[in-house]
Amino acid sequence: MDSFIYSINATVPIFLIMILGYVLKKKKMLNDGFLEAANKFVYTVGLPVMVFTDLAFENFKEVFDIKFVLYCMIITIVSFFVVWFLAESFLKDKGMIGSFVQGSFRSSAAVLGLAFIHSIYSSAGMGPLMILSAVPLYNIFSVMILTLKGDGNNKDKTIKKAFINVLKNPIIIGIALGLIGSLIEIKIPVIGVKTLNSLSNMTTPLALLCVGAGFDGRAAFAKIKPTIAATFIKLIALPAIGLPIAVALGFRNQELMAIIIMLASPATISGYIMAKNTNNDAVLSSGIIVLSTVLSSLTLTLIIYLMRSLSFI
């Protein structure tokens, strides 16, 4: 019951803010000009600052575990390429591929991950190391697939173009600076830390408002089949495959909890912002985020309950 209550407390407020964004747009309190500017701000400033603060002030040397890092990296890489192969094979509308792949494999690890782990264990535990292992790959692969499949890039869908976009991507830059900050144990004055934290704290609510305001119920319903398929992969298929492997490898307690979050948390809200800014299918992306967020309170609770019943966490 505690796991269920926590899952509800973690996911329902996210969903409510998205609903608020939808209502405010319908009431014309949020217009297209504001949303365009907000999307650009979140993409170029908010998200890079958020990932920087998530990484820069963590001491990864104290919890570094090469076996855990390799597992997180390998399962992320395999998940991405398998989902991409499936999307290319079964999706008739090739314009959906970028958003479908991103929504299917990329978790809200940085946004929800540490909160879940801290609630259960009263410390961040292996969460930061999971973020270090998976989140850079999430962003690199997302930029790559969105660049290659974006409608705005029809004239130059090349690996070179994708590579350049990875290097120029604001979120990738934020991750790189965060990792450097962690390695050199960067010291930032209190004023700077508070400023960064303020920007970081406003990013998620603003992004959620944008997701909700950009949600088109009729358009999303027209794409309900790929939305359900991506949500199934994200919340059920990946955990069903990855967790037994993790258990067999001997991961338990905080390590396994971090892996559960990595595999089974809903699609990240930054996926909508990235899809919107790379001319991909933002409608499909928002639909996957909304549906996976709503259902994750149930699926995550069941997974955590099962792992606890088997004394793995």
Side-chain angles (χ1 to χ4, degrees):
M1 181 59 71
D2 289 342
S3 297
F4 177 75
I5 292 174
Y6 185 77
S7 296
I8 291 295
N9 287 337
T11 56
V12 170
I14 292 174
F15 187 58
L16 291 177
I17 296 176
M18 286 192 286
I19 292 176
L20 177 63
Y22 180 81
V23 172
L24 292 177
K25 178 67 184 306
K26 289 296 183 182
K27 296 291 186 181
K28 302 187 183 302
M29 295 179 69
L30 298 179
N31 57 35
D32 291 336
F34 171 83
L35 293 173
E36 182 179 352
N39 276 315
K40 187 173 182 180
F41 170 81
V42 170
Y43 182 68
T44 58
V45 179
L47 290 173
V49 169
M50 187 171 72
V51 295
F52 173 81
T53 55
D54 282 340
L55 298 174
F57 305 119
E58 295 289 345
N59 189 346
F60 294 107
K61 298 176 184 177
E62 293 182 355
V63 296
F64 191 80
D65 181 337
I66 186 63
K67 180 181 176 182
F68 179 82
V69 169
L70 287 175
Y71 171 84
C72 292
M73 294 180 70
I74 291 171
I75 201 72
T76 300
I77 293 169
V78 171
S79 298
F80 170 74
F81 284 103
V82 169
V83 172
W84 189 359
F85 172 79
L86 292 174
E88 293 281 6
S89 301
F90 295 104
L91 278 181
K92 294 180 180 179
D93 185 349
K94 301 306 178 183
M96 294 183 180
I97 290 177
S99 292
F100 181 90
V101 173
Q102 181 185 220
S104 299
F105 95 98
R106 185 182 181 189
S107 295
S108 185
V111 176
L112 293 180
L114 294 183
F116 266 98
I117 297 168
H118 192 277
S119 172
I120 293 173
Y121 292 106
S122 298
S123 67
M126 300 298 287
L129 194 59
M130 178 269 289
I131 290 175
L132 171 65
S133 307
V135 170
L137 291 176
Y138 283 158
N139 284 277
I140 289 171
F141 288 149
S142 293
V143 173
M144 184 173 77
I145 192 69
L146 293 173
T147 298
L148 294 174
K149 297 301 178 180
D151 291 336
N153 298 297
N154 288 329
K155 295 181 180 179
D156 189 13
K157 295 181 179 179
T158 64
I159 296 298
K160 180 180 179 180
K161 174 81 171 180
F163 179 73
I164 292 173
N165 280 359
V166 166
L167 295 180
K168 292 167 56 179
N169 182 264
I171 303 172
I172 300 296
I173 294 172
I175 289 172
L177 293 177
L179 293 178
I180 293 171
S182 174
L183 291 175
I184 66 175
E185 298 182 1
I186 189 171
K187 304 296 181 183
I188 299 178
V190 174
I191 293 175
V193 171
K194 288 187 175 182
T195 301
L196 291 173
N197 286 337
S198 295
L199 288 171
S200 178
N201 291 337
M202 71 181 292
T203 297
T204 297
L206 186 57
L208 289 171
L209 286 173
C210 291
V211 172
F215 181 73
D216 185 334
R218 291 184 179 179
F221 186 78
K223 301 178 180 182
I224 192 64
K225 289 183 178 179
T227 299
I228 291 174
T231 300
F232 175 81
I233 293 171
K234 181 75 231 47
L235 300 182
I236 298 175
L238 293 184
I241 296 170
L243 288 178
I245 296 173
V247 170
L249 290 173
F251 295 119
R252 299 291 187 272
N253 299 320
Q254 293 189 20
E255 291 177 336
L256 189 58
M257 190 65 209
I259 290 170
I260 290 172
I261 297 303
M262 180 185 72
L263 293 173
S265 59
T268 179
I269 55 172
S270 61
Y272 170 81
I273 304 298
M274 292 183 68
K276 187 78 172 177
N277 281 272
T278 53
N279 298 308
N280 277 265
D281 195 331
V283 172
L284 177 60
S285 183
S286 65
I288 295 170
I289 292 168
V290 170
L291 186 60
S292 63
T293 299
V294 173
L295 296 181
S296 65
S297 61
L298 299 176
T299 55
L300 262 176
T301 299
L302 290 174
I303 291 171
I304 292 171
Y305 177 77
L306 178 62
M307 293 295 104
R308 278 186 165 180
S309 298
L310 297 172
S311 300
F312 292 146
I313 59 175

